[in-house]
Amino acid sequence: MQYLLLIYANESAEAQVPQEQRQAMFGEWMSYTNDMKAAGAYVAGDALQPVSTATSVRLRDGERMITDGPFAETKEQLGGYYLVEAADLDGALEWAAKCPGARTGTVEVRPVMVFG
């Protein structure tokens, strides 16, 4: 079964992290990704550009409304995702707990709905 690991973090706080520490963190992310690939759990994954680059679209009463930035004000922003293959929710939760982003942010785990 496939699960989406949605990784939320505080962009403002992350921007304050010194470059040396960011490079070390990048190494952790790469190791995490490689571990998933080696285990056959990795399906896809990407980091997202900063929330300041987001554009939100809503349709209300037939009218399209476009807003710069995210739809809702939150302390944490969606920063990236992994699509993983796991036998069950417990397996997906194990990968989420190993995610470097779980230490300072939130990793939301959601099963992928399959149609047909």
Side-chain angles (χ1 to χ4, degrees):
M1 182 165 196
Q2 291 186 341
Y3 293 86
L4 195 59
L5 309 184
L6 299 162
I7 304 161
Y8 295 89
N10 184 320
E11 284 184 5
S12 298
E14 287 186 349
Q16 304 303 315
V17 174
Q19 183 63 26
E20 183 178 292
Q21 190 176 347
R22 270 193 246 183
Q23 288 176 332
M25 290 168 59
F26 182 75
E28 289 182 44
W29 283 101
M30 294 308 297
S31 292
Y32 175 68
T33 302
N34 289 333
D35 289 348
M36 275 189 188
K37 288 179 179 179
Y42 179 90
V43 177
D46 286 300
L48 300 175
Q49 294 289 333
V51 73
S52 62
T53 66
T55 304
S56 295
V57 178
R58 292 180 284 164
L59 191 63
R60 300 293 184 268
D61 298 322
E63 185 177 332
R64 185 176 73 168
M65 300 182 328
I66 298 175
T67 307
D68 289 339
F71 178 71
E73 292 290 326
T74 61
K75 292 181 182 179
E76 294 181 333
Q77 296 78 34
L78 179 62
Y81 70 92
Y82 284 98
L83 179 60
V84 299
E85 187 72 42
D88 53 25
L89 178 59
D90 288 337
L93 292 174
E94 285 185 37
W95 282 114
K98 293 177 185 177
C99 180
R103 288 194 305 269
T104 56
T106 303
V107 179
E108 179 183 349
V109 179
R110 300 205 30 204
V112 173
M113 188 178 294
V114 178
F115 295 99

